[in-house]
């Protein structure tokens, strides 16, 4: 039996699993594979150099799947900001009706997408920001706990508490993001009130993921202890893979009064992107979550989502005689 939630019904998907909008990873081949498998694939706009390149990526994805998929637009602090309005217009004009937003000041983008009939998912790391996004009219909130890869915010609140608080406070459906990689994590997220999950690191480690095989093998070989936080002293915390470069960044920060100028060559995005193509896990900074400790194989997206469907129902069914409750999703 399918796992039916408010999110599966709203998005038109079979499995309540959304692939995170990961830069350099959320490309047509992975996005289409996730959607074809029954989840929701997400193209990452900022992987593309221009809005026109995003248009072509959308068209390529559509050639690979007839199932729903979305586009992620993450608003990042930058000296020369990307063409966010151009990316938004490209997605809408190409017929994409599911959008994931993240980052600061998403109000104007959310307004534009809602005026054009889009379903908007917004990612937040705090309940106060989630409630703000709710007031802006988003349809689904993605609640990102401290366990996540990338930017977990500065409050350091883990998913167990953050999701329970979301269930108390939010009126729109929400999904769990950060640290979820196996069926137990999905079942636990549903129990905490989430209507689905967002997976990033887990989808990096699939057959259809575009990253180098060496990096997939490194994820499998790693544990939950193989990440580190950088930019803590700059109040822009990011969880990344623990390697020579990230540890050097941490050491510089430990000296005190570190400036971004001292770190920029080490953390350059172009250098981190090359990790995924040259297969050297020590070449640059790359995002990974503590979920690595739960990843032991490199399946196809189809096999992974079928496993989730089967195991989540088995886990929930197994709890019924233990706690004496009638399972209802």
């Amino acid at each position: 039996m399918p796992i039916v939630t408010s999110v599966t019904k709203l998005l038109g998907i079979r499995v309540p699993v959304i692939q995170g909008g990961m830069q350099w990873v959320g490309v047509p081949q992975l996005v289409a594979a996730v959607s074809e498998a029954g989840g929701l694939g997400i193209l990452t706009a900022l992987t593309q150099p221009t809005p026109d390149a995003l248009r072509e990526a959308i068209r390529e994805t559509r050639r690979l799947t007839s199932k729903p998929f979305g586009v992620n637009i993450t608003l990042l602090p930058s000296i020369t900001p990307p063409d966010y309005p151009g990316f938004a217009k490209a997605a809408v004009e190409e017929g994409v009706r599911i959008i994931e937003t993240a980052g600061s000041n998403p109000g104007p983008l959310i307004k534009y997408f809602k005026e054009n009939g889009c379903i908007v998912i917004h990612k937040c790391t705090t309940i106060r920001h989630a409630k703000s996004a709710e007031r802006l009219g988003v349809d689904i909130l993605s609640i990102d706990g401290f366990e996540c890869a990338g930017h977990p915010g500065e409050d350091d609140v883990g998913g167990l508490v953050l999701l329970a608080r979301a269930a108390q406070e939010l009126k729109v459906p929400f999904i769990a993001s950060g640290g979820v990689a196996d069926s137990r994590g999905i079942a636990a997220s549903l129990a905490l009130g989430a209507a689905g999950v967002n997976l990033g690191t887990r989808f990096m480690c699939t057959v259809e993921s575009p990253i180098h095989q060496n990096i997939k093998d490194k994820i499998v070989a790693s544990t939950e202890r193989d990440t580190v936080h950088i930019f803590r002293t700059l109040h822009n915390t990011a969880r990344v893979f623990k390697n020579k470069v990230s540890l050097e960044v941490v050491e510089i920060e430990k000296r005190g009064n570190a400036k971004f100028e001292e770190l920029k060559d080490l953390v350059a995005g172009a250098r981190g992107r090359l990790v995924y193509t040259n297969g050297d896990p020590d070449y640059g900074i790359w995002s990974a979550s503590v979920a690595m400790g739960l990843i032991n194989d490199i399946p196809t997206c189809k096999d992974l989502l079928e496993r989730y469907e089967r195991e989540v129902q088995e886990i929930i069914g197994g709890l019924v005689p233990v706690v004496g409750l009638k399972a209802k999703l």
Side-chain angles (χ1 to χ4, degrees):
M1 291 179 62
I3 304 169
V4 179
T5 74
S6 55
V7 162
T8 62
K9 289 187 282 188
L10 186 58
L11 299 179
I13 58 178
R14 193 184 77 248
V15 189
V17 172
I18 296 171
Q19 165 240 314
M22 300 169 282
Q23 193 166 17
W24 318 128
V25 181
V27 297
Q29 69 188 61
L30 177 61
V31 173
V34 173
S35 290
E36 278 293 298
L40 184 76
I42 300 279
L43 277 173
T44 311
L46 298 191
T47 295
Q48 307 303 325
T50 65
D52 282 342
L54 175 61
R55 288 179 186 274
E56 182 48 44
I58 292 168
R59 293 168 189 171
E60 182 181 348
T61 305
R62 197 161 277 130
R63 287 192 289 268
L64 296 171
T65 183
S66 60
K67 304 290 179 62
F69 65 90
V71 166
N72 165 280
I73 299 181
T74 298
L75 300 153
L76 300 172
S78 174
I79 295 172
T80 308
D83 184 4
Y84 293 122
F87 283 122
K89 184 179 180 184
V92 167
E93 289 184 349
E94 290 299 320
V96 175
R97 289 297 176 265
I98 301 173
I99 304 290
E100 180 188 58
T101 58
S104 58
N105 192 28
L109 275 186
I110 291 171
K111 182 174 185 292
Y112 172 75
F113 288 128
K114 292 307 298 177
E115 287 173 348
N116 283 278
C118 296
I119 296 168
V120 179
I121 306 165
H122 184 68
K123 182 176 285 189
C124 306
T125 61
T126 69
I127 300 303
R128 64 183 183 279
H129 291 144
K131 292 180 81 170
S132 260
E134 195 173 52
R135 288 192 291 272
L136 291 171
V138 302
D139 302 278
I140 301 169
L141 285 154
S142 181
I143 304 300
D144 217 8
F146 186 58
E147 303 89 342
C148 72
H151 296 279
E154 304 302 312
D155 288 357
D156 297 0
V157 180
L160 195 65
V161 170
L162 201 58
L163 295 174
R165 288 283 292 117
Q168 290 177 343
E169 296 283 344
L170 302 181
K171 297 180 178 64
V172 302
F174 64 92
I175 59 173
S177 180
V180 181
D182 68 353
S183 300
R184 285 187 176 87
I186 297 173
S189 298
L190 295 172
L192 284 163
V197 297
N198 176 86
L199 307 183
T201 306
R202 173 68 269 195
F203 279 123
M204 288 172 65
C205 205
T206 56
V207 170
E208 297 91 349
S209 167
I211 68 178
H212 198 285
Q213 185 65 36
N214 288 354
I215 305 305
K216 297 179 189 182
D217 293 339
K218 176 59 74 172
I219 291 172
V220 170
S222 298
T223 75
E224 66 276 12
R225 300 180 66 246
D226 289 316
T227 72
V228 68
H229 284 119
I230 60 172
F231 302 156
R232 292 290 266 176
T233 62
L234 302 179
H235 306 292
N236 188 29
T237 301
R239 187 187 294 279
V240 298
F241 186 77
K242 185 189 291 183
N243 62 13
K244 292 176 183 177
V245 181
S246 59
L247 290 176
E248 186 175 348
V249 172
V250 171
E251 283 305 310
I252 293 171
E253 290 193 77
K254 280 182 179 177
R255 296 173 199 160
N257 300 313
K259 307 296 183 187
F260 182 73
E261 288 69 26
E262 299 175 69
L263 306 173
K264 65 180 182 180
D265 291 337
L266 290 170
V267 303
R271 183 170 171 177
R273 181 182 185 180
L274 282 173
V275 168
Y276 295 146
T277 56
N278 70 16
D280 180 359
D282 282 314
Y283 190 80
I285 296 293
W286 53 284
S287 292
S289 91
V290 292
M292 287 193 299
L294 301 168
I295 298 172
N296 303 307
D297 61 356
I298 307 170
T300 65
C301 292
K302 181 177 185 292
D303 287 345
L304 182 64
L305 266 65
E306 286 179 353
R307 179 197 308 173
Y308 288 154
E309 283 188 287
R310 181 181 69 255
E311 291 182 351
V312 168
Q313 293 185 71
E314 289 172 355
I315 290 165
I316 293 172
L319 289 173
V320 174
V322 175
V323 298
L325 296 175
K326 183 179 180 182
K328 182 180 180 182
L329 294 179

